[in-house]
Structures are given as structure tokens and as C-alpha cells.
Amino acid sequence: MAQQRIPVVMTFAGNDPTGGAGIQADIETIASMGCHAAPVVTALTVQDTRNVISFDEVAATLVIEQARAVLEDMPVAAFKLGMLGSIENIEAIHTLLTDYPQVPVVLDPIIAAGGGTGLSDTAMREAMVSLLFPLTTILTPNSQEARRFASEADTLDACGQELLSMGCDFVLITGAHENSPHVENRFYGSMRHLETFTWERLPHSYHGSGCTLASSIAGLLAQGVEPFVAVHEAQEYTWESLKHGYRLGMGQHHPNRLFWARGEEEA
């Protein structure tokens, strides 16, 4: 009997020594989706559960060498992009992605850490828009990021339309930062608002929730799930991982991305 091939998801992200966000978050999530993670480190961060203290980007040549070595050895079914570290890395990843136009791309356009430390500047954001957005299958900004990228828009719906006009196939704007009784995540495609997903607002702040959402979407796309269903199922998984989260340090809670591995009695 032939062995079933496990889909490979390549993730570009920074290393978070708390294990809450970045590469470890992506690996746990991608494995939870039934895929194999191929992690490419783009930055080394110094951070705790409250904020990023500092970071140093990995040289673009080394980022691409990491990726090319894997891509020449195994088939990659989806790309997930998180913290990219520098304009040079954005330019290098753009060149890489153009060689694999058939592979879906999920981009979490990170601007700042949960604690507020900036992780990209204006030039990096402009590079993302011009080089990566046109190659992106699903963009997953939170509402604050959406407003920064679509600065001329006066509503979140207008933000969604403007982000689509920048070249993304689909946009999912998450609403946890909004002052609303429930979390409303808004999904856009085909130059229109497709759906608003409403979720119970949980009581805590979570470290790595955006990484979890984007990586779960990428894992589902790698499995061949169509975008609308992937976005819905990824939100369900992310919400459950937050609901089962735990507080290890003095700052944000960690999502429990392996909640599904516990027995019913334990859960």
C-alpha cells in the first residue's frame, strides 16, 4: 500500500524564544492541520510574553539558501509569511515566490508586536505592498494593520476593498482589536465583502494568535481546501486554541495549539 504524502507548508517567520509566536507557533499549527512544517527563520528576536525587546534579521542570502535547499528536495504545497525582518528579505522572498506561482501564499502582514514594538517601517510596508501583496492568496491583517496599509479608507469594508485592489486574491481582516462585544472577522474577495464571521470574545490577550490563524489557513490550503472553507475552519481552530490557552509568564496568554491532543476527560 502506497504511503500517503503529507503536504509540506513552508513558513517564513522569526524565532520567538517564549514559544508563543513566530516559528514555533507556525510549526505547532501546521502539524495540527495534518501537514509538515518547513520553517525558514527570517529573524532572531529577544522577547518575553509582554513585548519584543529587540531583534536581528537573518541575512537575505541565508533566508533564500534555507528555502531553496528545501524546495529542491521536497514539494511545498503552501507558503506562509510572517515576520520578514528586512526589505532585503522581502525582495528575496518575492523572487522566490515568483518561481512557484501555483503554490498558495498566506501573508500575515506584521507591523508590530502585541506589546507595541515596531517590527516593520514604512519602507518595509511599501515593499510588502508592491512585491508580496500581488502574489498573496489570502492576506490576514488585524484591523489596525488593515488601516495602516489602507490609510485612505474610512471604514473596514473600504480597507478590505483597497487591500484587494493591491493585488491580493482574498483578505481576512480580524476584529479582536475593535471595541465590540463580539469579535467580527471580515472576509473579502472578488472585489466585494463575502462574509462576516462572528466569534465570542475571550477574556484575555494572546501571544501568537495571528500566527496561529495564518498558519492554519496555509495548512488547510495545502490540503486542497478551498479558500472560503479554509478561512472558516482556521478561525474555528484558532478560537479553540485561544479558549484552551494558558498564561506562562507575566504578559499575554499562550494559545494551546495542541488542545486537540488531550483526552476528553483532561479537556
Side-chain angles (χ1 to χ4, degrees):
M1 181 172 154
Q3 183 180 9
Q4 183 178 3
R5 184 181 292 276
I6 298 174
V8 177
V9 178
M10 177 170 285
T11 173
F12 295 83
N15 182 63
D16 171 10
T18 76
I23 285 292
Q24 182 169 326
D26 295 349
I27 293 171
E28 291 176 354
T29 302
I30 290 165
S32 295
M33 296 300 106
C35 298
H36 176 82
V40 176
V41 179
T42 58
L44 300 176
T45 74
V46 177
Q47 62 180 295
D48 56 22
T49 58
R50 292 171 293 193
N51 204 356
V52 173
I53 300 162
S54 64
F55 73 90
D56 193 3
E57 70 271 15
V58 174
T61 53
L62 188 53
V63 169
I64 294 307
E65 285 172 1
Q66 291 178 76
R68 292 283 187 197
V70 173
L71 286 160
E72 291 170 9
D73 185 49
M74 60 179 73
V76 169
F79 294 107
K80 182 266 178 179
L81 312 182
M83 178 184 179
L84 302 179
S86 68
I87 290 179
E88 291 77 14
N89 285 349
I90 291 170
E91 292 171 343
I93 291 168
H94 161 81
T95 300
L96 181 93
L97 295 181
T98 57
D99 291 339
Y100 297 88
Q102 76 284 2
V103 179
V105 177
V106 180
L107 172 56
D108 179 12
I110 297 170
I111 290 177
T117 297
L119 301 178
S120 68
D121 56 22
T122 300
M124 284 182 62
R125 292 193 292 275
E126 291 175 352
M128 276 192 265
V129 169
S130 62
L131 298 177
L132 298 182
F133 281 24
L135 305 177
T136 295
T137 308
I138 302 179
L139 186 74
T140 62
N142 61 43
S143 56
Q144 294 177 341
E145 292 163 341
R147 291 187 176 98
R148 291 288 293 278
F149 280 102
S151 57
E152 299 300 315
D154 56 358
T155 66
L156 284 179
D157 280 341
C159 285
Q161 298 286 357
E162 188 171 336
L163 292 169
L164 287 175
S165 73
M166 296 174 183
C168 309
D169 292 339
F170 299 95
V171 175
L172 177 67
I173 299 178
T174 59
H177 290 89
E178 299 300 290
N179 184 22
S180 58
H182 292 84
V183 174
E184 295 184 350
N185 299 334
R186 308 178 73 82
F187 189 49
Y188 303 87
S190 303
M191 294 311 296
R192 61 191 178 91
H193 174 223
L194 299 176
E195 186 74 44
T196 296
F197 301 94
T198 302
W199 302 94
E200 178 187 346
R201 184 175 290 277
L202 297 168
H204 307 296
S205 174
Y206 298 90
H207 187 56
S209 55
C211 306
T212 306
L213 177 61
S215 292
S216 53
I217 294 172
L220 289 162
L221 293 179
Q223 296 275 14
V225 178
E226 64 95 8
F228 185 90
V229 176
V231 162
H232 188 207
E233 292 185 1
Q235 289 176 84
E236 289 183 338
Y237 165 79
T238 301
W239 189 87
E240 288 290 340
S241 74
L242 302 184
K243 179 185 176 183
H244 290 87
Y246 41 77
R247 193 181 190 205
L248 296 176
M250 294 182 286
Q252 294 178 305
H253 283 59
H254 277 54
N256 181 3
R257 287 171 281 261
L258 303 180
F259 68 88
W260 52 267
R262 302 176 66 186
E264 287 296 324
E265 292 185 6
E266 276 188 284

